[in-house]
Amino acid sequence: MGEIIQFKRTDGRTCPGYLATPRTALNAPGFVVIQEWWGLTDQIKKTADRLADAGFRALVPDLYRGKVTTSSDEANHLMTNLNFPDAADQDIRGAVQYLKQSSKKVAVGGFCMGGALTILSAIRVPEIDAGACFYGIPSLDATDLNKVKIPMIYHFANIDDWCTPAKVIELEGALKRSKSKFEFYRYDAQHAFMNEDRPQVYDGLSAKTAWDRTLRFLKYELASAIPSQVVR
């Protein structure tokens, strides 16, 4: 369904990305998918394909420029060496601007590392209309959540040694003190429970519930007004 394209960053340089489009409605809402720390994997491409099946123009910027790994040590190395502000300000913003050439509204969402970048992008990229964060948190000490002006949906696992329950509670509290409009959900599952290519952590019921909630949220937010805060 998808294809590798090149799109312009805001600085005029190019970034590769995987674009999946619906079979109809080329002006459908857009969704920038932000990868896990593994890179632009087949699994994240399938996620973009699923979004296209659901009626979204989905674009995954290749933040690692072709590098993909199955090694946690290598993934950690790649993530540690990624310039997060540049990824948000240039690659992700460029992807949003590319989709907005045809899509009136565009959301950004990501998983693990991509979840943290989703929150960062919600602060730094003015063209975003909504966000979906899956089990990722940037450094809250360096993150001003009062600058989040778009509706967001958050999904976290109760069994997670990266986005620990304590960090999730801290994030939720900070969001409640901000002016953010958001929905917040927890699942009795492990970190990366959405990744069907990792059977040791994948949780089908939690994944379906989170996916359905996200589609409902997106179809509402990309077409109408912002709801009140919802925390469960």
Side-chain angles (χ1 to χ4, degrees):
M1 179 180 296
E3 61 178 332
I4 298 296
I5 66 165
Q6 297 283 336
F7 61 88
K8 283 190 177 181
R9 296 166 24 123
T10 57
D11 61 5
R13 297 165 61 189
T14 60
C15 177
Y18 178 81
L19 177 66
T21 56
R23 292 179 176 84
T24 58
L26 294 180
N27 61 343
F31 192 109
V32 175
V33 186
I34 312 177
Q35 66 194 51
E36 293 184 317
W37 68 347
W38 311 110
L40 182 54
T41 62
D42 288 341
Q43 188 273 334
I44 209 72
K45 291 177 182 177
K46 287 188 289 185
T47 300
D49 291 342
R50 289 182 67 196
L51 284 162
D53 282 338
F56 298 90
R57 299 174 64 237
L59 175 58
V60 191
D62 186 356
L63 303 182
Y64 292 165
R65 301 302 192 271
K67 295 180 180 178
V68 178
T69 184
T70 57
S71 163
S72 295
D73 288 341
E74 177 64 13
N76 184 62
H77 174 75
L78 289 168
M79 180 179 72
T80 301
N81 284 278
L82 180 68
N83 184 327
F84 272 50
D86 183 77
D89 295 349
Q90 298 295 335
D91 293 342
I92 295 168
R93 189 178 184 189
V96 172
Q97 291 177 343
Y98 175 86
L99 290 176
K100 283 220 161 179
Q101 294 175 27
S102 299
S103 299
K104 183 178 179 180
K105 292 188 177 182
V106 175
V108 170
F111 307 82
C112 184
M113 179 187 82
L117 277 165
T118 296
I119 298 175
L120 191 63
S121 297
I123 294 169
R124 302 176 71 99
V125 181
E127 294 91 346
I128 298 174
D129 297 292
C133 170
F134 294 84
Y135 36 79
I137 304 174
S139 172
L140 293 181
D141 291 338
T143 305
D144 186 358
L145 293 174
N146 283 308
K147 293 182 179 179
V148 178
K149 305 299 183 183
I150 59 172
M152 297 273 292
I153 186 167
Y154 298 86
H155 306 281
F156 289 98
N158 289 329
I159 306 168
D160 194 326
D161 59 6
W162 187 49
C163 296
T164 63
K167 290 181 179 178
V168 173
I169 290 171
E170 182 183 7
L171 173 64
E172 181 186 337
L175 289 170
K176 286 181 175 180
R177 292 189 296 273
S178 76
K179 297 179 180 179
S180 300
K181 304 297 182 182
F182 67 92
E183 297 184 21
F184 206 99
Y185 299 98
R186 294 173 173 83
Y187 302 83
D188 288 326
Q190 298 184 62
H191 182 83
F193 65 84
M194 296 288 292
N195 191 334
E196 69 276 10
D197 283 0
R198 299 187 62 208
Q200 67 273 31
V201 295
Y202 177 67
D203 185 295
L205 178 59
S206 295
K208 183 180 186 307
T209 301
W211 183 262
D212 290 346
R213 284 170 170 167
T214 301
L215 290 184
R216 172 197 51 77
F217 168 84
L218 290 172
K219 289 178 179 178
Y220 181 87
E221 293 302 341
L222 298 184
S224 57
I226 298 173
S228 301
Q229 294 180 351
V230 178
V231 180
R232 297 194 179 100

